[in-house]
């Protein structure tokens, strides 16, 4: 199917799911999820696949085994295009509308060490700073988990100490409820966001990579 936008029913579905996150409600409304959420997400990511690659559309079921959150269903639908481990492009529909993003959502220890070594490098670190600065000027927000203190082995006065504290590094934009989310024009909105985020995502894919000794 071609992408025609996310219908209002997709947002209403997640509004209601936040109120009644039970199996009985899900079973009674699963057809809405399939028609208004899953099928449009499949069509959206398929329309972007030629440029960015195939997407993984996440399962709607929450893994409650190791989570404090015990409700059975996720209250959003996300899709991720990977270009390196835990690194790539993201789009999500939820009760808060549409959100796009990219970057690395988790550095495994060897990759975290590689990331910090690259940030510490005067040339590579300055390059990442420029890429992030350009993205923020364009309206994208820097996110990710960070340490409250300096990482071991680095000076607290390091010129890029804020970046060195990152345990993940992302960029994102909240499109929200803009009318475009209900139209085919959302394809180009997401494409524009992913292209804007691409310089940082590609830096992370290349330099935050654990290399053999």
């Amino acid at each position: 199917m071609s992408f025609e936008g996310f219908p209002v029913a997709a947002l209403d579905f997640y509004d209601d799911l936040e109120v009644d996150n039970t199996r009985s409600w899900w079973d009674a409304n699963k057809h809405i999820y399939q028609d208004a959420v899953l099928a449009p997400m499949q069509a959206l990511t398929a329309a972007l696949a030629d440029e960015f690659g195939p997407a993984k559309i996440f399962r709607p079921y929450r893994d409650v085994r190791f989570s404090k959150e015990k409700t059975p269903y996720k209250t959003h639908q996300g899709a991720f295009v990977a270009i390196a481990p835990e690194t790539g492009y993201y789009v999500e529909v939820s009760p808060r509308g549409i959100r796009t993003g990219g970057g690395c959502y988790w550095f495994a220890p060897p990759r975290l060490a590689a990331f910090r070594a690259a940030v510490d490098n005067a040339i590579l670190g300055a390059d990442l700073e420029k890429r992030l600065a350009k993205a923020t000027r364009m309206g994208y927000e820097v996110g990710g988990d960070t340490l409250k203190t300096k990482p071991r082995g680095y000076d607290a006065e390091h010129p890029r100490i804020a970046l060195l504290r990152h345990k993940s590094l992302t960029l994102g934009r909240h499109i929200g409820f803009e009318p475009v989310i209900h139209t085919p024009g959302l394809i180009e909105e997401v494409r524009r966001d992913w292209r804007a985020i691409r310089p940082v995502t590609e830096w992370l894919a290349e330099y935050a990579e654990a290399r053999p000794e």
Side-chain angles (χ1 to χ4, degrees):
M1 63 177 286
S2 61
F3 180 73
E4 300 299 327
F6 284 99
V8 173
L11 307 181
D12 290 344
F13 174 85
Y14 282 116
D15 275 333
D16 293 341
L17 181 60
E18 284 194 329
V19 174
D20 189 359
N21 197 315
T22 61
R23 182 174 179 178
S24 59
W25 186 91
W26 179 272
D27 288 345
N29 294 276
K30 187 175 181 180
H31 65 286
I32 301 175
Y33 166 78
Q34 292 173 329
D35 294 342
V37 177
L38 180 59
M41 184 63 82
Q42 290 171 331
L44 173 62
T45 54
L48 295 161
D50 284 351
E51 180 172 352
F52 296 97
K56 174 183 178 180
I57 298 176
F58 295 106
R59 288 164 51 86
Y61 312 106
R62 195 187 305 279
D63 186 349
V64 299
R65 294 173 299 170
F66 309 108
S67 175
K68 293 180 180 178
E69 175 57 72
K70 297 302 182 183
T71 53
Y73 304 102
K74 299 174 184 175
T75 54
H76 64 272
Q77 177 64 68
F80 186 72
V81 177
I83 65 169
E86 293 82 41
T87 303
Y89 307 99
Y90 183 73
V91 61
E92 174 188 286
V93 59
S94 77
R96 287 153 289 283
I98 302 296
R99 181 168 66 92
T100 61
C104 181
Y105 63 86
W106 181 66
F107 290 119
R111 296 190 70 233
L112 180 59
F115 166 74
R116 286 178 175 157
V119 171
D120 185 41
N121 180 280
I123 295 174
L124 297 180
D127 182 36
L128 178 58
E129 282 185 314
K130 289 179 182 177
R131 296 182 189 213
L132 287 167
K134 182 177 180 179
T136 55
R137 287 195 300 270
M138 295 170 67
Y140 298 92
E141 183 178 354
V142 178
D145 294 330
T146 59
L147 295 172
K148 293 182 179 179
T149 59
K150 70 179 183 69
R152 184 176 302 173
Y154 292 95
D155 194 314
E157 301 303 317
H158 193 287
R160 289 177 294 282
I161 190 61
L163 274 176
L164 288 168
R165 289 194 177 106
H166 275 266
K167 297 186 289 182
S168 60
L169 181 62
T170 60
L171 283 167
R173 182 170 80 97
H174 189 64
I175 301 174
F177 305 109
E178 292 296 322
V180 71
I181 73 173
H182 303 302
T183 74
L186 182 60
I187 296 171
E188 295 310 313
E189 285 284 311
V190 178
R191 189 189 307 277
R192 183 189 69 177
D193 287 351
W194 287 1
R195 284 176 175 173
I197 290 167
R198 178 182 275 155
V200 171
T201 303
E202 290 184 342
W203 189 101
L204 294 170
E206 181 172 0
Y207 298 113
E209 179 181 358
R211 304 182 188 278
E213 295 293 337

